[in-house]
Amino acid sequence: MSVPQTPGTFGATTIAAEVVDGVDLHGRRAVVTGASSGIGVETARALASAGADVTLAVRNTEAGDHVVARLEAELPPGSGKLTVGLLDLADRSTVVAFAADWQGPLHILVNNAGVMAPQEITRTPDGREQQFAVNHLGHFALTTGLHRALAAADGARIVSVSSTGHLFSPVVFDDLDYRFRPYDPWTSYGQSKTANILFAVAAAERWADDGITANALMPGNIADTNLARHMDLKQVEEFIASGELALPPQKTVEQGAATSALLAASPTVAGVSGRYFEDCAEAKPVTERGTNVGGVAPYALDRDNAGRLWQVSEALIG
């Protein structure tokens, strides 16, 4: 068995398989949301290859079954068991049911699913703006619903997949659902991704005594993913050309899953909590968006903002 690497040996081109090389997750149980495509699949693959039993929490269980069949054919002997669970983050009933049905400890929760930049405003059945509802509120309800299972794991890890898109907007507490502001797909996405980071900051503080760590991350600029299914690619190209949208170099899905795998499984970050990572390392703070394609905004790590978002989120999910 190889020896796990140190954080300094990981970087932008590291793939998830390299991160879990030498890591033993046998006896651990994991949930990866949005694991029917993109980096969710590769994150599930990495965790299962290290021995974890992984539940793919997905909207389309038929697609999830296809992924399980493919991974089972590709994974080495001794890999963890793969199962599929129904989870639609825009449908609160499925979130509640998933958490209620979970039995026993949960060692790893990767909140990976998301929606990005629908061109027209869309609202969930309970009236919430879709990106904030799916990317943040759905995962907030799921994670708080699974709190007892996480606490029972004695060292659980929560991984919140955010984005450099958080630089587009803080959480605008007075208008979360664009009832007053003109809808903009990118500030809406940015708000939801900032919320993903703030959730990790708040969970790290609130649940430290339960042995739970929580961190957020930017997976990278990955073209081969279902996240961009709502986007007008021509409009995105024009947005990039205008200088309004700057993107880091593209990654493969295997590279995109590396930072998630690091925070979910690597002993090199044991005990680290309430942080934001990119390229398998903790991100540096930035003071303005400008042309930055990386780093973390101070408002996304602000403990007061995190506490306020937690209270607001509890009220919104009832």
Side-chain angles (χ1 to χ4, degrees):
M1 178 179 293
S2 58
V3 178
Q5 302 179 53
T6 62
T9 61
F10 299 138
T13 61
T14 299
I15 64 173
E18 294 172 328
V19 171
V20 299
D21 184 27
V23 176
D24 184 2
L25 297 179
H26 287 90
R28 308 274 182 94
R29 303 169 74 204
V31 169
V32 181
T33 71
S36 60
S37 64
I39 63 172
V41 173
E42 295 308 314
T43 302
R45 182 200 301 274
L47 297 179
S49 72
D53 293 334
V54 183
T55 298
L56 284 62
V58 297
R59 288 183 302 125
N60 184 335
T61 55
E62 183 177 354
D65 289 336
H66 286 306
V67 170
V68 166
R70 174 162 62 88
L71 291 181
E72 286 178 338
E74 296 170 352
L75 284 166
S79 295
K81 180 181 178 181
L82 296 166
T83 56
V84 175
L86 174 64
L87 180 73
D88 182 347
L89 293 166
D91 181 347
R92 192 65 49 76
S93 66
T94 71
V95 177
V96 171
F98 186 97
D101 290 343
W102 187 269
Q103 300 295 318
L106 174 60
H107 303 84
I108 300 166
L109 173 60
V110 183
N111 289 329
N112 167 81
V115 59
M116 182 167 67
Q119 296 305 293
E120 303 293 333
I121 191 165
T122 305
R123 299 192 187 280
T124 58
D126 56 354
R128 306 264 75 88
E129 188 276 318
Q130 185 186 36
Q131 295 193 81
F132 186 76
V134 170
N135 296 347
H136 169 63
L137 282 179
H139 280 127
F140 179 86
L142 174 68
T143 310
T144 54
L146 290 169
H147 174 238
R148 288 186 180 179
L150 292 162
D154 189 24
R157 299 188 186 191
I158 300 168
V159 180
S160 184
V161 179
S162 181
S163 168
T164 194
H166 82 276
L167 299 177
F168 279 98
S169 179
V171 172
V172 181
F173 288 99
D174 292 327
D175 193 20
L176 295 172
D177 295 308
Y178 286 81
R179 298 289 183 182
F180 298 92
R181 294 176 288 164
Y183 174 73
D184 176 78
W186 291 108
T187 60
S188 171
Y189 180 67
Q191 172 176 254
S192 72
K193 294 289 101 178
T194 295
N196 290 154
I197 304 172
L198 289 174
F199 172 72
V201 172
E205 182 174 359
R206 287 171 176 261
W207 294 346
D209 289 344
D210 296 318
I212 298 170
T213 60
N215 292 286
L217 70 111
M218 158 64 169
N221 174 21
I222 303 128
D224 186 15
T225 174
N226 196 37
L227 181 64
R229 61 190 180 275
H230 298 289
M231 295 168 57
D232 182 330
L233 296 183
K234 182 178 180 181
Q235 187 178 57
V236 173
E237 290 173 359
E238 293 173 350
F239 201 21
I240 293 172
S242 72
E244 287 294 312
L245 178 62
L247 295 174
Q250 283 194 358
K251 290 186 178 185
T252 66
V253 288
E254 294 85 1
Q255 292 168 338
T259 308
S260 292
L262 178 90
L263 294 176
S266 177
T268 63
V269 292
V272 175
S273 197
R275 313 288 179 82
Y276 174 79
F277 281 68
E278 58 190 4
D279 295 337
C280 294
E282 189 171 353
K284 296 179 180 179
V286 296
T287 57
E288 62 180 357
R289 176 159 65 91
T291 58
N292 284 308
V293 294
V296 60
Y299 54 72
L301 294 175
D302 185 89
R303 293 173 64 184
D304 290 338
N305 287 345
R308 183 180 181 185
L309 179 64
W310 190 287
Q311 292 178 336
V312 168
S313 301
E314 282 184 326
L316 289 177
I317 69 171

